[in-house]
Amino acid sequence: MASQNISSQYTEEELLDMARKFSFRSRMDRNAVSGPIMVWGRGSVVRDINGKEYLDFNSGQMCAALGHNHPRIVQALQESAETLIHSHMSMFNDREIILASRMAEISPPGMNRSMFLTSGSDSNEAAMAIARRYTGGYEVASPAVSFHGMNDSTRAVTFSGWHEGYGPYAPGNYTMFAPYRYRCNFCKERPSCDFSCLNASFELLDAQAAGQLAAVITEPLFSAGGVIDLPEGWLQELKKKCEERGALLIVDEAQTGLAKLGTMWAFEQEGVVPDIFTVSKHFGGGIAISAAVTTDEIEEKVGATGLVVGHSHSNDPLPSNVAIASIEIILEEVLVDVAKKIGSYWRAHLEELAQRHSIIGDIRGRGLLQGIELVEDRVTKEPAYQAGEQIGRICLDNGLIMSVRRRGSVFRFVPPFTTTEDQMDLAADILDHAFRQVTGAS
Ligand SMILES: Cc1ncc(COP(=O)(O)O)c(C=O)c1O
């Protein structure tokens, strides 16, 4: 890709030396201190300190899906810099109130109440706290491939990885069988999911429960777990089973919400309205803000019983102002349609690549969140861990950033809404080249 030199106080090597001395290695996917070191971004492109450009098909950490440094987000930041950046957490500020009313406009009827926090983990922790106060129970269950964050309470219900080695969690966190169609042992002989996984999960949950189940928390498409779509009707069945037990359904829309899958919320596509949903990632257009959204009735009850959830930066005016701007962008630029358009163009590329490369065993996802699963053999479905890691490295060297999941066997693509057809053509070429190099396919 075209490159442009960036003037900087330090060279890459100098910064890496400093990182080796001063930075804490606790990154999710890479524990080595190595480049690239990013310094600049616009739209779907980021640039490293050496001036090399990359197509960012991971949208940063999925938080820049509106495009890096969107001008309307920059404008909102400037407005806040001139008015109020931070405010007393227990006093209202104008921005958070306006944002709460905008959230109600884009949420299902009756889901009018939002609280604003900082990270996806915070919002899920808050959602579980709300469910506990509302139901009087404390137990929470989540599918084995779901990801909900890395604070202690959300790590406790994150079973897609990063779970072991942090000491005992609070009691009452349970895992459920994952509806992972491509590798499901319950229904591999059946034409579709018959919810055997859910029936078995609830048989175990009912047996284990010490009392009232407070909630089930799930993603509506398991992203970090391997871009795994829900089988048709699965979320409806889950909601029914929660209702039968007086438990709340929490849907975590961190990765899937705000137009990414071609609707404002992914749960709409499943025909389900959850009791609580959470949103983060590109909600702030690159600035940290998250929300937990629920009904008037649930807010009324937990508010009246004195629920307190908050941090120093909860409801801050600056992130609230950028989130207002991000909702405006999503509505004005009709991003639900953009997601569908980008999604079908990129899907055609993935299908074409699968025709040429038998290492691609499965293609999944929708809109701006799609993935491929790599296998040694399409019949045995043995995961192609090593080849995947190698292909991922070659793609990065050649200017394509994507997320490599499931120990190398799943590639996840999250191109920003700003991505052009030319950029997708280029990304497909980079992938094609890397597949050829590693598998030797002609
Ligand atoms: C579905 C989902 N929920 C929650 C989180 C946690 O968000 P955060 O990293 O902002 O705490 C993530 C992060 O990737 C996520 O993918």
Side-chain angles (χ1 to χ4, degrees):
M1 295 186 69
S3 69
Q4 185 187 319
N5 279 325
I6 291 282
S7 60
S8 164
Q9 250 184 295
Y10 300 101
T11 64
E12 181 177 66
E13 245 344 282
E14 284 167 345
L15 284 173
L16 288 175
D17 275 348
M18 287 158 69
R20 279 180 202 109
K21 286 189 204 124
F22 304 119
S23 299
F24 208 114
R25 289 168 303 145
S26 61
R27 314 297 160 104
M28 209 163 151
D29 292 324
R30 308 166 87 218
N31 217 15
V33 178
S34 60
I37 296 175
M38 298 309 178
V39 295
W40 182 94
R42 287 292 179 281
S44 304
V45 174
V46 286
R47 205 179 278 160
D48 74 13
I49 190 162
N50 298 318
K52 177 172 167 179
E53 292 191 345
Y54 301 78
L55 283 172
D56 188 0
F57 274 39
N58 203 45
S59 292
Q61 194 57 35
M62 280 73 69
C63 306
L66 299 180
H68 286 275
N69 294 41
H70 192 293
R72 181 72 192 83
I73 297 293
V74 174
Q75 189 194 346
L77 287 171
Q78 283 163 345
E79 276 165 24
S80 292
E82 283 159 22
T83 51
L84 189 64
I85 291 174
H86 166 76
S87 176
H88 192 309
M89 190 247 276
S90 296
M91 294 180 189
F92 286 101
N93 66 77
D94 63 341
R95 299 290 104 182
E96 50 134 335
I97 297 172
I98 295 167
L99 176 59
S101 78
R102 297 281 151 83
M103 278 304 286
E105 285 165 22
I106 61 169
S107 298
M111 297 201 80
N112 291 324
R113 302 296 185 137
S114 299
M115 70 161 75
F116 303 112
L117 299 135
T118 303
S119 67
S121 309
D122 289 345
S123 62
N124 287 329
E125 183 167 82
M128 291 190 287
I130 294 167
R132 290 184 173 117
R133 294 288 287 216
Y134 182 79
T135 60
Y138 67 91
E139 292 158 289
V140 177
S142 175
V145 288
S146 221
F147 183 100
H148 300 294
M150 292 202 185
N151 56 20
D152 270 5
S153 66
T154 55
R155 199 193 286 273
V157 289
T158 289
F159 300 105
S160 56
W162 310 280
H163 184 88
E164 68 288 341
Y166 297 93
Y169 296 103
N173 301 294
Y174 304 121
T175 188
M176 298 162 57
F177 293 107
Y180 186 1
R181 268 300 279 161
Y182 190 61
R183 298 191 178 278
C184 179
N185 282 325
F186 284 99
C187 51
K188 63 180 167 202
E189 312 296 343
R190 306 196 182 111
S192 61
C193 172
D194 65 356
F195 314 130
S196 299
C197 54
L198 267 183
N199 293 334
S201 295
F202 274 88
E203 201 180 319
L204 296 181
L205 283 176
D206 290 342
Q208 286 176 94
Q212 164 71 52
L213 182 68
V216 173
I217 181 166
T218 185
E219 291 176 82
L221 185 160
F222 303 104
S223 177
V227 193
I228 298 163
D229 303 280
L230 293 184
E232 204 183 324
W234 189 91
L235 199 63
Q236 288 181 2
E237 187 64 21
L238 174 59
K239 172 90 164 120
K240 194 176 109 207
K241 285 180 160 31
C242 286
E243 279 169 0
E244 285 165 3
R245 288 157 181 82
L248 301 191
L249 175 64
I250 303 169
V251 173
D252 177 348
E253 292 266 4
Q255 299 260 4
T256 49
L258 295 169
K260 266 235 207 89
L261 301 192
T263 44
M264 188 59 75
W265 310 110
F267 57 70
E268 292 170 46
Q269 296 180 26
E270 307 298 331
V272 167
V273 177
D275 299 293
I276 308 173
F277 68 93
T278 57
V279 54
S280 50
K281 297 288 186 196
H282 70 279
F283 187 34
I287 300 294
I289 179 167
S290 62
V293 184
T294 192
T295 62
D296 292 322
E297 193 252 322
I298 292 174
E299 192 273 348
E300 196 65 48
K301 180 164 173 191
V302 297
T305 62
L307 171 92
V308 174
V309 177
H311 306 286
S312 307
H313 291 286
S314 299
N315 303 306
D316 257 352
L318 181 143
S320 298
N321 203 31
V322 291
I324 293 168
S326 104
I327 292 174
E328 281 168 7
I329 294 165
I330 290 161
L331 295 175
E332 283 164 20
E333 298 181 10
V334 199
L335 293 188
V336 289
D337 290 348
V338 176
K340 285 186 204 141
K341 211 160 150 243
I342 291 180
S344 63
Y345 194 85
W346 184 238
R347 184 60 156 233
H349 266 308
L350 295 179
E351 277 165 7
E352 209 195 311
L353 284 167
Q355 279 172 19
R356 265 179 282 141
H357 300 285
S358 60
I359 192 172
I360 300 179
D362 200 18
I363 308 177
R364 302 192 285 260
R366 278 153 282 158
L368 298 192
L369 177 48
Q370 299 196 42
I372 50 180
E373 178 150 356
L374 307 183
V375 288
E376 298 288 349
D377 179 303
R378 282 186 179 170
V379 178
T380 65
K381 298 185 182 173
E382 190 188 335
Y385 297 126
Q386 238 188 333
E389 293 286 1
Q390 267 178 289
I391 293 165
R393 273 193 296 274
I394 295 171
C395 287
L396 181 65
D397 286 346
N398 291 337
L400 174 64
I401 298 174
M402 61 191 178
S403 175
V404 178
R405 309 242 59 84
R406 295 192 77 89
R407 293 161 52 206
S409 64
V410 171
F411 293 168
R412 176 180 61 189
F413 308 100
V414 184
F417 288 100
T418 43
T419 309
T420 63
E421 293 187 353
D422 283 352
Q423 289 171 325
M424 287 186 267
D425 296 345
L426 177 56
D429 275 354
I430 295 173
L431 275 168
D432 188 33
H433 177 266
F435 281 130
R436 281 175 210 281
Q437 210 173 318
V438 171
T439 64
S442 53

